[in-house]
Amino acid sequence: MFTLVPSQFFNPAAARDALAEVGALREDATVEYLEIPQYDAVLVYAKDGDSVVDDSPAIYTLLSRLPDCPEYNKILCGMLDDRLYLAVAQGKSLLLANSFPARDFTTAEYFIFLSLNSLQLNPEISTICWLSQLDAEDEMALYRYFKAVEYL
């Protein structure tokens, strides 16, 4: 579980409370935070061993790599532990950072298109970037909707 808090509103002493507002937080969960300076935000997360890469939450990896996407509409995805991690920005403005349960690629596609539709982004003129490798069939499925598919 994680949430982003604008830097100007972040209070380290209230990090646990900020996270508890977005979901059920176990009483024994360790709450930590990381600054995301390129988006003027702080990532607050529960450290429970799930979806952690190199001692950081998977969404932090996406947010760190999102500026590497080549287009103005930056769409970066990754799959880990049956979850889709998705971060979307326009230029330097972060629009979305979320994760969704996705046991299969069709479910991941559903959440990608739902998110892009809610943000009013046209996939046909956008490049989608991935941190995790896709099999050839899944990559070809994305090419039906996106201008390009790239790996970071």
Side-chain angles (χ1 to χ4, degrees):
M1 176 173 31
F2 63 88
T3 189
L4 285 172
V5 178
S7 295
Q8 64 267 28
F9 298 118
F10 180 68
N11 175 0
R16 185 176 196 80
D17 295 335
L19 194 56
E21 287 181 22
V22 299
L25 185 61
R26 291 191 340 240
E27 201 164 306
D28 64 341
T30 302
V31 175
E32 296 187 7
Y33 59 90
L34 293 165
E35 292 187 28
I36 315 282
Q38 66 267 32
Y39 299 115
D40 200 24
V42 177
L43 175 67
V44 182
Y45 62 98
K47 189 169 183 181
D48 58 8
D50 294 335
S51 304
V52 174
V53 179
D54 296 332
D55 207 36
S56 298
I59 196 69
Y60 179 75
T61 305
L62 253 70
L63 291 170
S64 298
R65 298 291 309 275
L66 188 58
D68 297 339
C69 293
E71 304 287 330
Y72 178 73
N73 288 341
K74 299 176 183 313
I75 304 164
L76 182 57
C77 302
M79 297 283 292
L80 180 66
D81 300 332
D82 290 335
R83 291 196 75 78
L84 168 70
Y85 290 85
L86 174 63
V88 180
Q90 279 188 319
K92 294 183 178 185
S93 297
L94 181 65
L95 303 177
L96 175 79
N98 209 341
S99 71
F100 306 94
R103 293 186 187 270
D104 57 60
F105 191 72
T106 301
T107 304
E109 283 182 306
Y110 168 80
F111 284 117
I112 292 166
F113 293 122
L114 181 68
S115 298
L116 295 180
N117 185 47
S118 72
L119 295 170
Q120 298 181 344
L121 294 178
N122 184 353
E124 293 176 352
I125 61 168
S126 301
T127 296
I128 188 167
C129 300
W130 284 82
L131 286 181
S132 51
Q133 204 60 27
L134 300 174
D135 64 35
E137 184 179 319
D138 295 341
E139 185 176 340
M140 288 309 297
L142 289 173
Y143 270 112
R144 291 185 201 127
Y145 303 101
F146 289 92
K147 178 176 77 170
V149 178
E150 294 189 7
Y151 296 97
L152 299 182

